[in-house]
Amino acid sequence: MQPLAAPGPPQGGIALSGASEDAQRRTWGSDTPRRSLGTRLVLATLVFCLLFTLVTISVLTYSAWNSGLSKMNAELAQLEQVYQGTLSKAIWELDRESLQTHVLSATRVPAVGKIVLKVTLASRAAEVLEGSSNGWSGAGRAPTRRLTLTYEPYPGARESVGELTLYGDERVLWQRLRGELTTIAITQLLQSLMLAALIMLMFNRIVTVHIQRIAAHLARLSPNNLGLTLGLHRRAGHQDELTLLVSGINQLQGSLATYLEQQQRYEHELAGHRDRLAQLVEERTIELQAANSRLQNLARTDQLTGLANRRHFDEAKEEELRRALRSGQDLSLLICDIDFFKDYNDHYGHAMGDQCLCAVAHTMRASLARAGDMVARIGGEEFAVLLPATNEVTARMLALRVHQAVIDRGIVHQHSKAAGVVTISIGVAVLAAGDADDFDALFARADQALYRAKARGRNQVAGPISGDQDDAPGEKR
């Protein structure tokens, strides 16, 4: 939209007549000092910016330090979870070489300054293994975590085998603090927002009140009263840009009628653009909704195998349990585990291991033809099959079908102690109609059945203990 302009010379723009300039000079006075609104705002902004920047830098530095401590503590906790099982097993098996390897690898983690492993087996004297990163001189302000290592040689027996102590590296904390470039950007953003608030406050007190009076005057204008003169109720000593604005408005009122017609035309054009913008927003909203739907599907699917992931399985199990209790039908669960999969990974490599997981997953899913049956990957090489409206006999028959289908796939596994091909062990559990058990109890029974199948040599299907009808490798019913 073009700016309004008062009638003037042919080159355009606002031109004050000689009489108006003389009147303005008389109004301002030759001895009256001029104090610009912009000058006052700039001075106030500079003072506030200096003080606020100092405070903000202090606050953000403290916040970044605490965030770095929390992040390092989380990294050390994650490292504990990673090494807890392997270290406990290596201590129990007296594998000193493995312990030294794990200690050395832990010192290569950036967050770790020093690791101390204390071995406290009952039958041996206490022994301490430790390692530290290059140049580490002490934990300082970095966090320190201690974890008692325990091992379970057989179910129900848990023994303390040592203590793991992780010291954080303070140098990493300082390095991360120096690298917080984002904090500087946040500081500048906060500063800008606060400055904007200050400027708005000052403008409200110094300018907005008078602008509102000017707006009220303009609102009363019509083609019949364009000669009405605008005046502000201020002391005579306030001579600034508002005085020039009032003078300009009074001069522009003579040609306002023409510009009002032009403004109406622009408003029609603006309405058309607004409708087009609303249409574009609606189209983009539809695209975003479709993208969100795709993201939700990805969040519920295991990326490697294409099966339902643990999150999807947890949602489906609760829904199927409620449906089973409501309809009075049985609900069966199969817990499947690939036999000697670690040996397969160690021998053929992780790439072949991933292909093996995908092949087993697709075989399991293809062997179940019913629409309601769900196959999900709930662990590394562990799968769960949810069978709605399925009794024990049918569940066992489907388990045998899945078991045989994996064998028939013929994936070579030379290091399997169960067979020359990849096999699976399956635990079967059934929640009969009328049972009051929750799904956790059903899952525990299936897991116990899977444990029995593994204890009997793997490559077989194991069902409830009461039936005592576990199937040996290769058997079919």
Side-chain angles (χ1 to χ4, degrees), residues 61-128:
T61 302
Y62 178 78
S63 175
W65 177 261
N66 289 334
S67 176
L69 285 176
S70 301
K71 182 179 180 181
M72 177 171 288
N73 191 60
E75 291 174 352
L76 294 179
Q78 184 178 9
L79 193 63
E80 286 180 351
Q81 297 297 324
V82 172
Y83 282 96
Q84 180 178 3
T86 56
L87 288 176
S88 299
K89 182 178 180 182
I91 292 174
W92 184 260
E93 295 176 354
L94 302 178
D95 190 352
R96 182 179 181 85
E97 181 179 355
S98 178
L99 291 176
Q100 292 177 346
T101 301
H102 287 312
V103 170
L104 180 61
S105 64
T107 59
R108 297 172 182 169
V109 178
V112 177
K114 182 178 181 180
I115 176 173
V116 178
L117 176 62
K118 184 177 181 182
V119 179
T120 57
L121 290 174
S123 59
R124 297 173 60 90
E127 182 180 1
V128 176

Side-chain angles (χ1 to χ4, degrees), residues 297-298 300-310 338 341 345 349-362 365 376-377 379-383:
N297 291 333
L298 290 175
R300 295 158 57 91
T301 303
D302 180 61
Q303 294 184 359
L304 177 61
T305 62
L307 298 178
N309 59 12
R310 185 60 183 261
I338 300 178
F341 185 71
N345 260 343
H350 289 283
M352 291 294 296
D354 290 346
Q355 294 181 14
C356 176
L357 284 173
C358 292
V360 171
H362 295 163
R365 182 166 55 185
R377 184 186 180 197
E381 67 271 16
E382 191 174 15
F383 302 87

Side-chain angles (χ1 to χ4, degrees), residues 373-401:
D373 298 339
M374 170 188 277
V375 182
R377 184 186 180 197
I378 60 175
E381 67 271 16
E382 191 174 15
F383 302 87
V385 181
L386 201 59
L387 303 173
T390 305
N391 56 27
E392 181 177 347
V393 175
T394 306
R396 186 182 298 275
M397 179 190 68
L398 293 175
L400 289 171
R401 179 190 300 173

Side-chain angles (χ1 to χ4, degrees), residues 170-212:
E170 187 181 22
R171 297 171 300 173
V172 176
L173 289 176
W174 288 111
Q175 181 180 2
R176 292 176 178 176
L177 185 61
R178 289 191 296 267
E180 287 289 341
L181 298 179
T182 305
T183 304
I184 299 176
I186 295 176
T187 302
Q188 296 301 321
L189 177 61
L190 292 176
Q191 177 179 330
S192 300
L193 292 176
M194 296 299 294
L195 288 176
L198 175 64
I199 293 173
M200 290 177 62
L201 177 61
M202 296 189 65
F203 257 89
N204 183 63
R205 296 174 60 88
I206 301 175
V207 178
T208 304
V209 173
H210 303 295
I211 294 298
Q212 289 175 347

Side-chain angles (χ1 to χ4, degrees), residues 15-34:
L16 297 176
S17 63
S20 299
E21 293 176 352
D22 294 340
Q24 182 176 343
R25 284 194 295 269
R26 288 194 300 269
T27 301
W28 283 57
S30 58
D31 298 330
T32 303
R34 299 182 182 182

Side-chain angles (χ1 to χ4, degrees), residues 327-347:
S327 62
Q329 294 179 329
D330 297 341
L331 177 62
S332 298
L333 175 67
L334 310 182
I335 302 297
C336 311
D337 191 85
I338 300 178
D339 298 327
F340 303 104
F341 185 71
K342 182 179 183 303
D343 296 332
Y344 188 96
N345 260 343
D346 293 341
H347 180 70

Side-chain angles (χ1 to χ4, degrees), residues 249-298:
I249 290 176
N250 288 330
Q251 294 182 32
L252 289 175
Q253 286 183 190
S255 59
L256 184 59
T258 303
Y259 288 103
L260 287 177
E261 181 181 356
Q262 186 179 18
Q263 181 182 9
Q264 185 177 10
R265 184 173 66 253
Y266 289 156
E267 287 179 352
H268 287 299
E269 296 177 358
L270 180 61
H273 292 305
R274 185 172 59 249
D275 294 339
R276 175 57 181 165
L277 179 61
Q279 181 181 357
L280 293 176
V281 170
E282 182 179 0
E283 294 175 355
R284 182 57 57 86
T285 301
I286 295 175
E287 294 176 0
L288 290 176
Q289 290 175 348
N292 287 334
S293 178
R294 291 193 296 270
L295 287 176
Q296 290 179 359
N297 291 333
L298 290 175

